[in-house]
Amino acid sequence: QVQLVESGGGLVQAGGSLRLSCAASGGIFSINAMGWYRQAPGKQREFVARITTGGTTTYADSVKGRFTISRDNANNTVYLQMNSLKPEDTANYYCCAYARGTSGYWNNYWGQGTQVTVSS
C-alpha cells in the first residue's frame, strides 16, 4: 500500500516562507505525477501545483511566481517551497501522487495533510 506523509507546515507571518515535504513509501512500483492541493475551511479542495517525473511543472494562477514545486525521484519525495506567503494561503495542504503499487494498478494516493497558517 502506497503511503504519503507530509511535513513542514506551521504558522508564519505574511511575507514569510515555508517548505513542505512529502515522502511516498510502501509497496511502490512506479510514481508518475506528484502534486499539492489545499483546502481552506468551508472551501473546496483546490489544485496548487504538479510536477511530472520528467520535471514539467504546472501551477495554479494564485501561486505562480511565489511557490516552487520540485521532486527527488530517487527518494520518492516532492517538495513545495512557498515564499511571499499571504493570509489567503492558509489551508490544509495535501500531497498527492499517481502511482502504481503492489496491486499493479495505477491510483491516486493522498497524504493526511499538513496545516499552513499565515497571519496578517
Side-chain angles (χ1 to χ4, degrees):
Q1 180 71 13
V2 177
Q3 294 180 325
L4 303 177
V5 178
E6 302 102 332
S7 61
L11 173 64
V12 65
Q13 288 189 330
S17 298
L18 282 174
R19 187 189 194 215
L20 306 183
S21 301
C22 171
S25 62
I28 300 171
F29 285 153
S30 184
I31 298 179
N32 196 324
M34 301 184 79
W36 293 91
Y37 284 72
R38 66 186 181 186
Q39 187 168 18
K43 295 189 176 182
Q44 299 269 23
R45 187 173 298 190
E46 64 175 7
F47 168 76
V48 175
R50 176 180 180 269
I51 185 167
T52 67
T53 306
T56 300
T57 58
T58 308
Y59 296 94
D61 288 343
S62 59
V63 306
K64 277 181 184 176
R66 300 188 299 122
F67 291 11
T68 302
I69 189 171
S70 60
R71 65 188 285 176
D72 177 352
N73 290 330
N75 291 300
N76 294 328
T77 301
V78 64
Y79 305 95
L80 186 68
Q81 178 66 44
M82 305 184 294
N83 298 328
S84 302
L85 282 161
K86 305 175 181 180
E88 51 263 44
D89 293 318
T90 295
N92 206 358
Y93 283 69
Y94 296 90
C95 171
C96 64
Y98 186 58
R100 185 163 64 101
T102 54
S103 67
Y105 295 98
W106 288 92
N107 283 299
N108 286 312
Y109 295 91
W110 294 88
Q112 81 287 352
T114 185
Q115 179 66 36
V116 171
T117 302
V118 184
S119 63
S120 57

